[in-house]
Every structure is written in structure tokens, then in C-alpha cells.
Amino acid sequence: MTSLLGHPAGGEGIGYSFSQPTAAPVKQHGFYPYTDNGGSTLGITGSDFAILAGDTRSTSGYNINSRMVPKVFKIGGDDETGEGAHIVLSVVGFAADGNALKERLDAVVKMYKYQHGKPMSVSACAQRLSTILYQKRFFPYYVTAILSGLDEEGKGALYSYDPVGSYEREQCRAAGAAASLIMPFLDNQVNFKNQYIPGSGEGHALEQKKAEPLPQATVEQLVRDAFTSAVERHIEVGDHLQMMIITRDGIQEVFHPLKKD
Amino acid sequence: MADRYSFSLTTFSPSGKLVQIEYALNAVNQGVTALGIKEVLISTYRSPSLSKISLVTPDIGMVYAGMGPDYRVLVDKARKVSHTGYKRIYNEYPPTRILVQDVARVVQEATQSGGVRPYGVSLLIAGWDEGVEPQSEEASTEEKPTTKTGGILKGGPSLYQVDPSGSYYPWKATAIGKHATSAKTFLEKRYTEGLELEDAIHIALLTLKETIEGEMNGDTIEIGIVGPPADHLLGFEGVEGAQGPRFRTLTKEQIEDYLTNL
Amino acid sequence: MGSPFDINGGACVAMVGKDCVAIACDLRLGMQALTISNNFPKVFNYAPSTYLGLTGLATDVNTVSDLLRYKVNMYRLREERNIAPQTLANLVSSSLYEKRFGPFFVSPVLAGINETTGKPFICGFDSIGCIDFAKDFIVSGTASEQLFGTCEGLWEPDMEPEDLFETISQALLAAVDRDALSGWGAQVWIIEKDKVTQRLLKGRQD
């Protein structure tokens, strides 16, 4: 685990108590403004919905800062509660940067609505988020973001980002501390990777199982299974599962308990 | 002529003998009688403080005929090798045969090394082994075509004798020390296959009575048995999977009981 | 240079089912990002129903598997019986701890059925022999994080041999596909009492 607060050892040589002072004492300064606050996020889309989820634990090192720091936010809502929003953003990594990024995007989406007189589309918001991230190319927001909503056709849309703005639309994505645990599980259970249709052929003729959008109940269960699994094996994940379910009727936010150990 | 070859152990006599080993056997044959029947070890003439029957591992014990000091050195080495050569490697105690082989090696090395003399003892080592195959009421007769190596598949008690030369023999019943020959003749007559532990103790005591002079009571003889796990000797209870020692010595009172029923 | 455990790549996993166990490994051998071979099995047989998987530095995988082959052969000759999984576990542990201050860079995984009790047994080790007794599954290798995720998500208690095969295969393939240093085919052993089935999985070749 990268410690962002660690100071590099001063390269001043062996300090004998009787040593002669060197000509010019050199002192190294370090500035490490980042912390990894752990946690994990996960998004899966369906034909007419999208689910973005994250745990609510905040850590620094082996410390638990809080058991209730949400990582998933409604973007561009009408009021403090985010009522009326149709886009959801999850951020995992350095929580302070995540918060700042969320605030920025929220403001941008609101300004867009005031100026254009219509809500920002998810694809436009996705492009704008990329720009925001890239603007800080040499002092990045230390976060992995996932943006989600419904596209122009009403289908679930999900965009995943790296800290400097590379992005891609996907069916599903896990990010954060337990991404490496959850992602292969999703490959297998959402996109049916490595699954073949029994008796469809021999060798190369064997037919792959087609990935099709899953029903909402199935996806909800997958998300919960993914997180209970991650909690079991990753110390930075736990406490509560926050889920944002985006449908044409709006955004439903639910919390489920996770193990607190 | 013989004493010309008796200085160095590593020198054979022209007749092909290592006479020091023969002398060691003489020491054994003057020693106090000890006898064993698979699951019972018995020794006579207990001295008040030094017991002749020793525990080596929880399931294996031994007794000797010959020189007491040499025996105690061997007990120490047997206990040590059962850990260094086995328990510290496999986290389990050695099977009886493996321990016997390890002890026999120690004894043999004393016949081929410089500056040492052979051990003046013969040992009887008795122990109980877990079988490879699960324990069943009746041994199944059908042979399964597996890759079994042909070793101890059944498990159960076993008895071995180790001599000063380092040779070792498995026995159903045997005796060492003074009167060993007559004791063995007696055992040969009385031993039957599949003896119960109680019967074995009885026969062992009878043999002893027939062959040795002197009084037999709880002070003069010792009995060691290989029986069911003695969980009461663990010193604790309530630990799942813990098993008491199978080898244990009988108390003075228990011996007296057996003797009155003789 | 990176960790010796990550130079050659590779993954291994063992799982418990109902009266059966399974062990599986990938087939890749690499040097950093360069793949050298796609036929480097990491699971070795030490008794009729006892298997050991070794991931980590390839040279140590070879050395340790050969060393244990020697030790197990000596055991069989001395004791005239096959080594039990539990006994092998302790042999592996003590052999690794012997090199406490200059360890073999391997993470072994053991799977077997005890001939005497008929009970399945799996365990894992760190490179200096600390045994991890698990009731469900053991993972190791460069894809261990991914394997933890897939196994934790797919494993369930008391699977029959056929289900166990499907589960361990899917868990391994899904995991190695998200690890650049593992993959290139896989081998799976399903161990039942008196029956062992070995299968070769093609998997992604990239």
C-alpha cells in the first residue's frame, strides 16, 4: 500500500556524534498531499437501469476514519438532497479529491442546465468529466471515478475513468481497493466470460455464451454478493453498502449493512 | 588370541566376529529378565527409584536387560531422535518400526565408531501404530487394486527387540536377559494369536513366575502396557482431538491385583 | 527489480467439495512481460490422492518440487506407505522453515484426501512454511487477489465433483484473465476417493 504521508529517509550519511559538520548541510523537503482512503466502488448497467454502488468505510492506513462516508453521489440535482438528479458519480481513492471533483462536476452540470435550459446528457457529462480530470494532468485528482445514468435511448450507461481522464463506456466496472477482487467475478457473472454453451460444438466451434443485459433483481444480488465477498478478504472494505439504482423513475438510494470487522 | 582383537571394535577376529559385541551380549544375558508379549512389557527387580520401563513417545515404550546406565543413555537418545528425526519434520510421532530403526542405528554406530564401546543392553520396544486403512471390526478380505505400497495397513500393537549389534527383530512374544531361553520356551507354549490385553498380562506374569527366582510383588516387578488411549493421563480434558498415551506403566496396586489373580 | 514472486508469473488454487477436493494451476511461464512457455504446470503429485501446487519463482518451483519428490520417496521407502496429506503439509512446512533466512520464493498449495479418514484436506503456505488451514479454498500466485475475489464469489459448501470442477475452472480462468502474468491455459485435478480426474483447459491465449 502506498503511503502518501511517508517522508523519504534523509540522505545525510551516518551521523556520528563527533563528526565534523559538512560544508553545506543539505535538507530534503517532501510534499505528499495525497492519502489513500481505501474502499471500493462498483457499477453495473442493465437494459433500462444502472446501479452504482460503494462501501462507506473510510480508512487511512490501518485506521478506520469513519464507517459512514458515502462514495456515490447524485450529480446536478435541484437541491441539497440531490432530488431531481439523473446522473450518479462514484469516486474512490483520495476522499478529499473525490469530494472536490464531485462538487465541481455538480456545479458544472447545474450551470449547464441553467445555461442550456435542459438537463445535461450522460454522454456529455462523461466527456466533461474527462476534461475536468485532464485539466489537472500534472497534479491529478487522486481518484478512480465511475459515472452512471441512462443514455438517450433510456438504456443504462456507465463510464469508468482513470485519475487523469481516460474513459470508456462499459457494461460493468469495479474500482478501488477491492477492484482486483471484484472485476474478474464481474467478467464471469455479467459478461459470461469463459462460459460456453454446452454441446454447441467441439474445440474452436464451441460457442461462447452471449452477454445479455441482466434483470435488475439479478444485478442487485450480484452487487451485494460482490461486496460481501470483497469485505471477507479486504480490510479496507466494509461497514455499509451504498447503492444508487438509476431508472427512468429517478434515482433510488439504498443502504445495506456489511461486516464491520 | 582372542584378546588381540578385543581392543578395537572396528577389527574383526579371523573367525569373522566382533568379540566386543559378544561380550556386550554376555552383559545382557546376565541382566535382569525382561519380557514382552506384543502389548505387554514386563521387567523384574525394580530398584526403588529408577524404573526400568520408559516412555519414549506417547504410544511407544521400552524396557531393557543389561547395563542400566547404558539404557538410560539410549532412552534419552531414543526420545531425542523421535523428535529431531520425526516429530519436528512431520508434526507426528514416529511409528514403532521407524523408532526401532532409528534406535538400532544409534546402537549400530557404537559398534563401528572410534573411541566408543557397544551398548551393553538389549531392548524390548513396544508400541501402537495407526493403520493406513480405517479401523474396522473385521479385517476385510477383499484386496483392492490400489497403489498401496504394502506397508503397515492395519495398525495395532507391535513388539521389537534391539541387540547391542544393532540388529532388531519383530516378535509376537519374547524375553531377554537372565533365563531368557526358558522364558521364551514357556511363552512359545502359552502364546496364542489374538490375545486380549488382560490375557497377555496374565501369561506374561505366569512366564515370569515359572522362570525367575525371587518374590514377585508390586515392588519387585514393573508392567508396561500398550492399551487403549489413556485420556485420564492427559492432565486436561475438553480438548477436541486430544488423545491420551497408549503406552503406560501400571501402578503398584494394579500389579498386586494381577498377582493375586494369578 | 520487482519481487521474485512476480518475475515468472503463475496462479494456483485449491478447493474443497463434498468428499472431494480440486486443485488447479495456469500454464504460463514468463520473464516479466515476456512469455517463455505455455506448458509449465505448477501442480505435482506426491501420493495417489495428494497434490501440491507451487507458484512463485520458477527455479524455486522446480527445486522445491524436486526436493519434496526426494523426501517423499525416502518416506515411502522407509515407511512402506504413502504420505498422508496432513503429513506432507508438515513436511512442506518444516522443509520451508529450514530456509527461514534465505527462503525459497514459492507459495505452495496442497490438496488431497486422507486415505485413512477419507476426509478432504487443503492448506496453503507462505514462503517460510506457515500453514494456512482453510475449510473452503486456498489461492496463490500473481493472480491471488483476483482468485480471492472469484473464489469468494463462486465457492459454496458441499459441491459434488462435477460442480467443483466447474467452479474451480471458472474461478481460475476468470482470475487469470485479469492478471497479465498468468493464464495461457490451465490444468485442473478433481480428486475423489480412489479416483483422480485431470483436465486441460485451453483458456485465453494472450
Side-chain angles (χ1 to χ4, degrees):
Chain A
M1 199 55 49
T2 325
S3 171
L4 296 167
L5 289 176
H7 300 284
E12 286 164 38
I14 308 158
Y16 296 110
S17 58
F18 49 82
S19 68
Q20 299 296 313
T22 44
V26 184
K27 215 166 192 181
Q28 274 202 0
H29 293 272
F31 178 51
Y32 299 97
Y34 294 126
T35 311
D36 184 352
N37 294 113
S40 236
T41 58
L42 156 60
I44 304 175
T45 61
S47 55
D48 58 350
F49 69 95
I51 295 181
L52 244 191
D55 69 318
T56 65
R57 177 174 290 184
S58 165
T59 64
S60 45
Y62 295 136
N63 266 320
I64 296 174
N65 300 323
S66 170
R67 300 194 189 277
M68 188 42 89
V69 178
K71 293 174 187 53
V72 194
F73 306 102
K74 294 176 187 170
I75 295 296
D78 303 324
D79 55 11
E80 299 301 297
T81 63
E83 192 61 34
H86 64 290
I87 294 173
V88 172
L89 172 75
S90 75
V91 278
V92 64
F94 181 29
D97 277 2
N99 235 41
L101 180 66
K102 171 261 274 183
E103 290 296 332
R104 267 249 279 196
L105 192 68
D106 189 46
V108 163
V109 172
K110 277 171 178 158
M111 288 301 294
Y112 182 98
K113 195 171 166 188
Y114 301 147
Q115 288 174 339
H116 295 81
K118 61 167 186 180
M120 197 177 198
S121 72
V122 183
S123 59
C125 184
Q127 175 59 48
R128 186 67 184 92
L129 178 56
S130 170
T131 332
I132 292 169
L133 288 167
Y134 196 80
Q135 273 170 0
K136 280 174 66 63
R137 170 65 178 77
F138 297 108
F139 184 25
Y141 288 117
Y142 221 80
V143 293
T144 325
I146 301 173
L147 191 77
S148 189
L150 299 178
D151 65 11
E152 276 93 343
E153 299 168 48
K155 289 182 182 143
L158 183 139
Y159 298 86
S160 63
Y161 296 80
D162 77 350
V164 287
S166 274
Y167 79 112
E168 180 185 14
R169 184 173 172 177
E170 291 180 289
Q171 286 294 313
C172 65
R173 168 61 61 180
S180 52
L181 283 76
I182 299 173
M183 207 55 219
F185 176 68
L186 259 36
D187 289 340
N188 188 242
Q189 294 294 305
V190 178
N191 291 322
F192 302 138
K193 289 284 167 63
N194 286 302
Q195 294 202 47
Y196 294 87
I197 299 161
S200 59
E202 287 286 311
H204 290 281
L206 198 63
E207 219 176 303
Q208 271 216 271
K209 189 171 168 189
K210 272 244 171 49
E212 271 165 14
L214 299 167
Q216 190 176 320
T218 312
V219 173
E220 269 180 59
Q221 196 51 52
L222 271 177
V223 171
R224 294 179 66 168
D225 285 351
F227 270 92
T228 40
S229 296
V231 166
E232 205 65 40
R233 296 289 177 173
H234 203 116
I235 55 169
E236 291 178 357
V237 185
D239 296 331
H240 299 278
L241 171 61
Q242 178 199 16
M243 270 168 91
M244 295 273 204
I245 303 159
I246 308 136
T247 57
R248 70 164 76 86
D249 304 321
I251 301 165
Q252 187 201 355
E253 184 177 19
V254 284
F255 286 89
H256 293 291
L258 290 173
K259 279 167 75 173
K260 290 185 169 60
D261 55 3
Chain B
M1 188 62 189
D3 28 0
R4 205 186 286 181
Y5 299 96
S6 58
F7 295 107
S8 166
L9 296 172
T10 51
T11 311
F12 277 100
S13 76
S15 60
K17 283 175 177 168
L18 293 167
V19 287
Q20 284 290 336
I21 292 173
E22 312 250 315
Y23 300 160
L25 269 172
N26 291 339
V28 168
N29 289 328
Q30 287 162 39
V32 172
T33 321
L35 64 91
I37 308 175
K38 271 265 175 127
E39 50 271 277
V40 192
L41 287 182
I42 290 198
S43 166
T44 48
Y45 296 126
R46 170 199 184 95
S47 71
S49 58
L50 291 170
S51 75
K52 291 179 170 160
I53 298 179
S54 314
L55 197 72
V56 185
T57 75
D59 293 344
I60 303 173
M62 62 189 200
V63 69
Y64 77 103
M67 298 176 66
D70 285 19
Y71 170 67
R72 284 183 281 281
V73 166
L74 274 178
V75 168
D76 273 3
K77 293 197 171 185
R79 287 173 178 167
K80 185 175 178 182
V81 80
S82 72
H83 285 84
T84 57
Y86 211 93
K87 189 161 191 292
R88 285 208 162 189
I89 300 173
Y90 303 112
N91 197 26
E92 58 192 56
Y93 285 104
T96 313
R97 180 170 58 80
I98 301 297
L99 180 91
V100 167
Q101 282 174 355
D102 287 350
V103 172
R105 173 191 275 110
V106 170
V107 175
Q108 195 281 334
E109 275 168 7
T111 70
Q112 220 182 359
S113 309
V116 295
R117 61 167 175 79
Y119 290 93
V121 288
S122 275
L123 304 170
L124 290 184
I125 302 180
W128 200 94
D129 300 320
E130 298 287 337
V132 172
E133 281 172 347
Q135 271 204 290
S136 58
E137 291 300 306
E138 201 60 45
S140 68
T141 43
E142 58 161 328
E143 284 291 318
K144 275 181 282 181
T146 53
T147 45
K148 299 273 163 56
T149 51
I152 318 149
L153 300 176
K154 295 258 160 36
S158 51
L159 172 70
Y160 289 87
Q161 174 188 348
V162 181
D163 279 353
S165 61
S167 345
Y168 60 93
Y169 323 91
W171 288 106
K172 288 173 174 169
T174 192
I176 51 172
K178 220 184 288 177
H179 313 304
T181 324
S182 54
K184 271 153 74 173
T185 317
F186 188 86
L187 282 169
E188 220 162 76
K189 277 187 278 192
R190 299 300 290 267
Y191 180 85
T192 49
E193 225 39 74
L195 277 176
E196 293 289 317
L197 179 57
E198 300 293 308
D199 300 337
I201 296 173
H202 188 75
I203 292 170
L205 287 171
L206 275 182
T207 316
L208 216 54
K209 194 177 157 195
E210 292 297 315
T211 49
I212 66 158
E213 64 266 19
E215 203 201 339
M216 278 168 67
N217 59 47
D219 287 319
T220 56
I221 62 167
E222 281 180 72
I223 303 180
I225 58 160
V226 179
D231 290 343
H232 66 280
L233 292 176
L234 274 177
F236 57 84
E237 48 188 65
V239 178
E240 205 186 329
Q243 201 191 51
R246 281 182 178 272
F247 189 91
R248 65 191 163 98
T249 49
L250 298 185
T251 61
K252 210 174 111 180
E253 291 72 28
Q254 285 172 310
I255 295 173
E256 300 273 358
D257 281 353
Y258 281 113
L259 285 172
T260 34
N261 293 331
L262 212 59
Chain C
M1 205 171 73
S3 157
F5 288 98
D6 302 335
I7 295 172
N8 305 114
C12 187
V13 55
M15 274 183 185
V16 173
K18 191 180 191 318
D19 301 323
C20 56
V21 285
I23 186 167
C25 66
D26 74 330
L27 291 175
R28 183 178 182 269
L29 168 72
M31 281 175 70
Q32 325 267 47
L34 174 70
T35 299
I36 302 298
S37 164
N38 57 6
N39 189 197
F40 189 77
K42 295 156 187 76
V43 171
F44 305 91
N45 176 236
Y46 290 105
S49 56
T50 305
Y51 289 75
L52 185 77
L54 293 163
T55 62
L57 195 66
T59 181
D60 284 355
V61 168
N62 285 323
T63 307
V64 171
S65 65
D66 288 353
L67 181 72
L68 288 169
R69 170 74 57 225
Y70 157 69
K71 289 190 175 189
V72 169
N73 281 348
M74 291 306 285
Y75 181 96
R76 277 163 53 94
L77 289 168
R78 264 167 70 83
E79 311 230 353
E80 297 178 357
R81 58 174 171 163
N82 291 314
I83 196 163
Q86 285 86 347
T87 313
L88 179 62
N90 287 298
L91 177 62
V92 170
S93 174
S94 52
S95 302
L96 290 175
Y97 195 79
E98 224 166 63
K99 298 271 183 287
R100 171 63 178 79
F101 297 110
F104 291 117
F105 297 110
V106 290
S107 316
V109 169
L110 191 150
I113 292 179
N114 187 301
E115 274 186 60
T116 310
T117 63
K119 287 210 174 77
F121 177 81
I122 59 160
C123 69
F125 310 80
D126 67 7
S127 58
I128 51 170
C130 177
I131 310 181
D132 171 5
F133 296 104
K135 290 184 172 62
D136 42 13
F137 52 83
I138 289 285
V139 305
S140 85
T142 51
S144 62
E145 281 199 19
Q146 288 87 340
L147 278 166
F148 271 126
T150 54
C151 292
E152 197 67 60
L154 298 177
W155 186 86
E156 48 194 88
D158 295 327
M159 286 183 285
E160 296 296 329
E162 302 77 36
D163 292 341
L164 186 67
F165 165 73
E166 199 60 32
T167 306
I168 197 171
S169 303
Q170 291 295 331
L172 182 70
L173 288 176
V176 298
D177 285 355
R178 282 282 174 182
D179 177 26
L181 299 180
S182 305
W184 289 65
Q187 269 182 353
V188 185
W189 285 260
I190 305 293
I191 306 156
E192 297 163 71
K193 205 174 188 315
D194 302 323
K195 184 188 176 199
V196 177
T197 319
Q198 195 211 124
R199 284 196 168 97
L200 183 67
L201 304 178
K202 195 155 169 17
R204 287 177 71 106
Q205 298 290 318
D206 62 357

